[in-house]
Amino acid sequence: MSAKRLRLMKTGAWLAVWLVLAGLVFDSRIFWRLFFPLHYQPLLERYGNEYQVDPLLLAAVIRAESKYHPRARSAAGALGLMQIVPETGAWAAEKLGLAGFAADKLFDPETNIRIGAWYLRDLFDEFHGNIVLALAAYNSGRGNVRGWLAAQKEGQGSFTIENIPFPETRTYVRRVLRNYHWYKRIYNTDP
């Protein structure tokens, strides 16, 4: 291991220790909200409730997809907060009855969150509420997930993150679930 890499690892370790200690010293919820913001909360609640998707899960997806940058654009052409590809956006807009849809509307936070929440609900419905499968389909496409399930032949219930054959999708699902854990821990007001 190079000296530079070792130095970076030590710096990262000290930074992690500092963050944990700072979280203990300060009100931890206020402190951790700096790292897990909840921008667009009224839209997340509105469309999360409308499509029966936890608004905190929507926040977790947005954090993983765009880090809350409404004008984000991926190399694959996905746009906006929830990184929706224009073809999926047009299909969802048609299903939702959104007249005058154009790809640039995916940069509008309200349109993007509405379509993203609806699409995630559609994936939950298709995959019988299985969050791993729904998130994997959100990232890699429902056709890929259907193929994985057909190849596995054991059904959806036994499908785990480790069964996902695409490393990028495995990492994505883990990231969203980690984000979701922290959003629930930080923002839930239940004791």
Side-chain angles (χ1 to χ4, degrees):
M1 183 176 299
S2 72
K4 183 178 180 180
R5 186 168 182 181
L6 186 60
R7 199 169 38 253
L8 286 172
M9 287 175 57
K10 286 181 182 178
T11 301
W14 278 110
L15 180 60
V17 168
W18 182 86
L19 289 173
V20 168
L21 290 175
L24 294 173
V25 172
F26 302 110
D27 178 340
S28 61
R29 285 188 183 206
I30 293 171
F31 176 79
W32 288 109
R33 286 178 184 192
L34 296 172
F35 298 99
F36 292 87
L38 194 56
H39 303 301
Y40 308 105
Q41 187 171 359
L43 295 174
L44 295 172
E45 289 175 0
R46 176 180 177 188
Y47 293 114
N49 292 333
E50 184 172 336
Y51 300 113
Q52 299 175 335
V53 177
D54 186 348
L56 297 177
L57 178 59
L58 295 175
V61 169
I62 290 171
R63 186 173 192 276
E65 290 285 358
S66 69
K67 297 227 185 322
Y68 283 98
H69 296 294
R71 305 238 9 122
R73 181 186 304 259
S74 77
L79 306 174
L81 292 169
M82 295 189 72
Q83 289 292 279
I84 299 166
V85 293
E87 295 81 13
T88 300
W91 170 75
E94 182 181 325
K95 295 285 189 184
L96 289 166
L98 299 177
F101 177 82
D104 65 332
K105 291 196 175 198
L106 291 171
F107 291 122
D108 171 57
E110 182 164 7
T111 301
N112 193 282
I113 291 170
R114 181 177 185 187
I115 288 174
W118 178 87
Y119 183 51
L120 201 50
R121 172 79 268 152
D122 190 58
L123 293 170
F124 271 115
D125 290 345
E126 178 171 349
F127 297 110
H128 308 288
N130 185 313
I131 193 169
V132 170
L133 294 174
L135 292 173
Y138 192 91
N139 178 260
S140 67
R142 61 184 0 129
N144 283 322
V145 174
R146 288 179 194 145
W148 303 338
L149 290 171
Q152 181 177 315
K153 298 178 184 166
E154 295 173 11
Q156 295 181 14
S158 62
F159 194 89
T160 66
I161 294 172
E162 287 69 34
N163 296 118
I164 299 171
F166 296 173
E168 176 187 329
T169 301
R170 252 192 330 268
T171 300
Y172 172 81
V173 171
R174 284 186 180 120
R175 183 180 311 121
V176 172
L177 291 175
R178 183 185 63 237
N179 290 347
Y180 187 37
H181 164 81
W182 282 105
Y183 272 108
K184 289 191 301 186
R185 186 171 179 178
I186 295 165
Y187 289 95
N188 274 344
T189 56
D190 299 334

